[in-house]
């Protein structure tokens, strides 16, 4: 079997991808002021500290916006694919971008819908997906 | 704000603009630069400053190539900048205003590289050099995602929050296409577009269609900038910069932060009004960036109405029979066709069209009585804007 897909990473983003291997959504977070920082940065944009930790986060949030890749562009028997810009509940405008899990594909999704984290696969590697909250 | 010297655009130049120019990107850059210098009437040996758009996007042409290619003997000022193209012109104005150089050549060369479409990928002469830069690595975080067009999220959010309809985006696409029918240089010259055509276009990244995105082309454009004093000795009419500037603000990473905040656009326009003493009543013509139709809406909300009010502004401006917009009942937008229909040189055409109009050299598409043009260029993270006038104050 072919090796799984390897993301392009740097010193800031490698923690996000390492978290994916453990099926944890890991985001950068300032150790000083506790601000979540995504995309990750080496310096906190709020307090300018460079003490940046990388912590697991719930992955619960709401649909801020979304984009649909139509089935018609993907070939026969394809389904629409949906990528969601999710605003996580921990912090205003903390946005994580990920696909809607396959079971949720379609146009039922709306801005403001509640989301939770699940895990999908991209060429053999675990990647975060969202689905509508089930609770 | 002070203006150390009055500055003028004295030359403009175009390469071929085409889906397939049959030329290299370097050839296009050299052609546009040569034509701009010829148009200016400046002795090539007197050109002593040069800059170009050269980062964060697809590969451009580094100034060293043009300095060498045209044997420009002595460059006292060399610059590069990010898109949009007007940033190069604004930087050149600042360079001449500061005295860093006397005659600045600015250019931007775009190419339909292999990454722009399946069709381009099949052409071995379109393989792009490894140039695409993503210093934040933010795009790499979305590599596994299916539909990563951040601006499509901004469209959806705008429709959700303010009730914009597909027709409003169509008005921009149709206006620019209608205008291109009077611009023989435009790649969509001879190909009209109706609102019905727009509404029936299939989605690419829903809610985007192909008609919401500018058209990738091979093409380069260039300008020559100098002081108004030196411009007086040159053969062609000069066009004067009354206001110019950049603007950038946080929360502007469109691939990750789809917040539909035209705050930076608005702040830049406020500064342009303050620097020039103008209001919309003083503007005869506006060329507004249209890399995507949503970007034009955001600029309209910065310059001509409030946030979320562009649908009403467009409804009032739309002439459905002619297929054109007249903003505030009067102001034509992008008579050359913009990036959507003239071709994608990332806003350079918007500046060159303003110069052409203010020189009253626009032929059948001349805006009668055009004395002052507002050019609004680009998208976040870096914006550029200018107010240009045919008359020196």
């Amino acid at each position: 079997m072919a090796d799984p897909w390897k993301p392009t990473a740097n010193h800031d983003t490698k923690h996000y991808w390492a978290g994916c291997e453990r099926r944890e959504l890991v985001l950068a977070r300032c150790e000083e002021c506790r601000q979540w920082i995504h995309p990750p940065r080496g310096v906190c944009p709020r307090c300018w500290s460079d003490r940046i930790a990388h912590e697991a986060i719930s992955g619960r949030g709401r649909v801020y916006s979304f984009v649909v890749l139509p089935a018609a562009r993907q070939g026969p028997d394809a389904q629409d694919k949906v990528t969601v810009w999710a605003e996580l509940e921990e912090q205003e405008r903390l946005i994580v971008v990920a696909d809607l899990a396959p079971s949720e594909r379609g146009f039922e999704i709306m801005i403001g819908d509640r989301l939770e984290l699940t895990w999908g696969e991209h060429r053999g590697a675990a990647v975060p997906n969202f689905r509508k909250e089930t609770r | 704000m002070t203006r150390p010297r009055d500055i003028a655009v004295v030359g403009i130049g175009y390469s071929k603009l085409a889906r397939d120019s049959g030329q290299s990107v370097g050839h296009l850059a050299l052609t546009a630069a040569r034509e701009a210098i010829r148009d200016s009437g400046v002795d090539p040996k007197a050109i002593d400053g040069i800059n170009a758009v050269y980062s964060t996007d697809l590969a451009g042409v580094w100034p060293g190539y043009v300095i060498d290619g045209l044997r420009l003997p002595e460059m006292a000022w060399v610059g590069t900048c990010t898109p949009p193209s007007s940033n190069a012109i604004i930087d050149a104005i600042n360079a001449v205003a500061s005295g860093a150089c006397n005659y600045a050549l600015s250019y931007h060369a775009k190419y339909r590289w292999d990454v722009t479409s399946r069709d381009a990928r099949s052409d071995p002469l379109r393989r792009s050099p490894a140039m695409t830069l993503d210093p934040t690595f933010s795009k790499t975080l979305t590599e596994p995602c299916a539909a990563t067009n951040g601006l499509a999220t901004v469209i959806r959010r705008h429709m959700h929050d303010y009730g914009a309809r597909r027709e409003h985006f169509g008005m921009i696409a149709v206006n620019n296409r209608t205008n291109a029918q009077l611009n023989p240089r435009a790649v969509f010259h001879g190909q009209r577009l109706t609102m019905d055509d727009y509404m029936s276009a299939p989605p690419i990244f829903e809610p985007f269609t192909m008609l919401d995105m500018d058209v990738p082309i091979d093409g380069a454009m260039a300008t020559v900038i100098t002081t108004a004093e030196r411009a007086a000795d040159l053969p062609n009419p000069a066009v004067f910069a009354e206001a110019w500037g950049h603007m950038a603000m946080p929360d502007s990473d469109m691939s990750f932060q789809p917040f539909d905040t035209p705050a930076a656009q608005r702040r830049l326009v406020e500064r342009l009004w303050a620097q020039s003493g103008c209001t919309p009543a003083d503007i005869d013509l506006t060329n507004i960036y249209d890399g995507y139709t949503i970007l034009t809406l955001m600029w309209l909300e910065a310059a001509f109405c409030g946030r979320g009010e562009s649908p009403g502004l467009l409804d009032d401006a739309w002439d459905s029979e002619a297929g054109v917009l007249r903003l505030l009942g009067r102001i034509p937008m992008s008579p050359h066709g913009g990036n959507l229909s003239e071709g994608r040189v990332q806003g350079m055409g918007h500046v060159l069209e303003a110069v052409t109009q203010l020189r009253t050299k626009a032929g059948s598409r001349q805006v009668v009585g055009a004395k002052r043009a507002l050019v609004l260029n680009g998208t976040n993270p870096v914006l550029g804007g200018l107010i240009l006038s045919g008359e020196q104050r």
Side-chain angles (χ1 to χ4, degrees), chain A residues 5-9 13 16-17 20 25 27 38-40 67 69 81-86 95-100 122-123 127-130, chain B residues 134 136-151 153 205 253-258:
Chain A
W5 172 77
K6 283 282 183 196
T8 308
T13 63
Y16 176 89
W17 296 115
C20 289
L25 183 62
L27 303 189
H38 192 69
V67 180
L69 181 67
K81 291 181 182 172
V82 180
T83 301
V84 176
W85 276 245
I95 299 275
V96 169
V97 184
D99 283 356
L100 210 56
H122 178 70
R123 289 155 57 189
V127 294
N129 279 181
F130 287 108
Chain B
D134 177 16
T136 67
F137 276 57
S138 67
K139 286 195 184 77
T140 66
L141 292 168
T142 62
E143 270 173 20
C145 298
T148 56
N149 190 309
L151 283 169
T153 69
F205 286 118
D253 178 347
M254 287 282 187
S255 63
F256 242 88
Q257 299 169 318

Side-chain angles (χ1 to χ4, degrees), chain B residues 83-140:
Chain B
S85 308
S86 63
N87 285 345
I89 293 167
I90 291 162
D91 288 350
I93 291 172
N94 288 330
V96 171
S98 75
C101 60
N102 295 331
Y103 299 96
L105 170 69
S106 306
Y107 66 90
H108 186 31
K110 289 297 292 181
Y111 210 57
R112 202 165 56 83
W113 293 115
D114 51 3
V115 293
T116 60
S117 72
R118 197 173 303 160
D119 177 60
R121 270 197 293 285
S122 68
D123 181 347
L125 300 179
R126 295 189 175 277
R127 283 188 197 143
S128 51
M131 235 308 283
T132 307
L133 301 176
D134 177 16
T136 67
F137 276 57
S138 67
K139 286 195 184 77
T140 66

